[in-house]
Amino acid sequence: DAGVIQSPRHEVTEMGQEVTLRCKPISGHNSLFWYRQTMMRGLELLIYFNNNVPIDDSGMPEDRFSAKMPNASFSTLKIQPSEPRDSAVYFCASSLGQEAEAFFGQGTRLTVV
Amino acid sequence: QKEVEQNSGPLSVPEGAIASLNCTYSDRVSQSFFWYRQYSGKSPELIMSIYSNGDKEDGRFTAQLNKASQYVSLLIRDSQPSDSATYLCAVRDSSASKIIFGSGTRLSIRP
């Protein structure tokens, strides 16, 4: 299996622009997580899906952030409009079952200028 | 109170010694506990999973869980320079099943 695949690996955008991050979970996994990592705040859980349904989005910082999972093999995290403080590494992770470990993608490094 | 707490370090250990990393968590009914290793600029990589009280060994790594004390630890025996990384403790809660990470402990193995 190719593991969790994220795209793009790097994104540089101007403040105010829309940014879409993409994730393909490991085939057969039924849980998907979006995390954001910064030096100041560490690894923060943004949103968690189970069987394509958003279960907990309490970590989504603002209405500017939205996430979807239209099917079991694809998820997006959108930021509109983007701000410099959104600059971070965004990770997607997936797991099989509700007690299992999660496996991470390579991450997307987002820079908003 | 943070849900998962770790000492940020850095923890400096001589090569060949035992490195001991600690983690406490607040949700008393958490069921699943994980240790991840993260090299600079890379994504977190799973090292160990532990689900029941006691010790679990895998090569040079031993995870220890004490649910009564809400405490998880990771021991690394015969530490190598390649073990220098940030180690993240993670807990999967019992209800919503989300996985929460500690802030990580930076480990440095000195030759």
Side-chain angles (χ1 to χ4, degrees), chain A residues 9 31 33 35 37 42-43 45 48 55-56 58 91 95-107 109, chain B residues 31-34 36 38 41-46 48-49 51 88 92-93 95-103:
Chain A
R9 292 291 306 278
S31 295
F33 307 83
Y35 291 90
Q37 189 173 42
L43 197 59
L45 178 64
Y48 156 57
I55 302 300
D56 187 335
S58 59
F91 288 106
S95 75
L96 176 62
Q98 290 194 281
E99 294 184 359
E101 60 277 341
F103 296 90
F104 281 74
Q106 298 284 68
R109 181 173 294 277
Chain B
Q31 297 296 320
S32 310
F33 307 87
F34 314 107
Y36 288 79
Q38 188 176 26
K42 301 295 185 182
S43 57
E45 171 193 14
L46 180 72
M48 296 277 287
S49 305
Y51 300 92
L88 298 162
R92 191 155 195 178
D93 78 14
S95 54
S97 281
K98 59 186 180 182
I99 302 179
I100 303 299
F101 283 78
S103 56

Side-chain angles (χ1 to χ4, degrees), chain A residues 31-49:
Chain A
S31 295
L32 185 138
F33 307 83
W34 281 102
Y35 291 90
R36 177 173 68 176
Q37 189 173 42
T38 61
M39 288 291 291
M40 290 296 294
R41 301 176 67 91
L43 197 59
E44 300 175 276
L45 178 64
L46 300 178
I47 187 169
Y48 156 57
F49 292 87

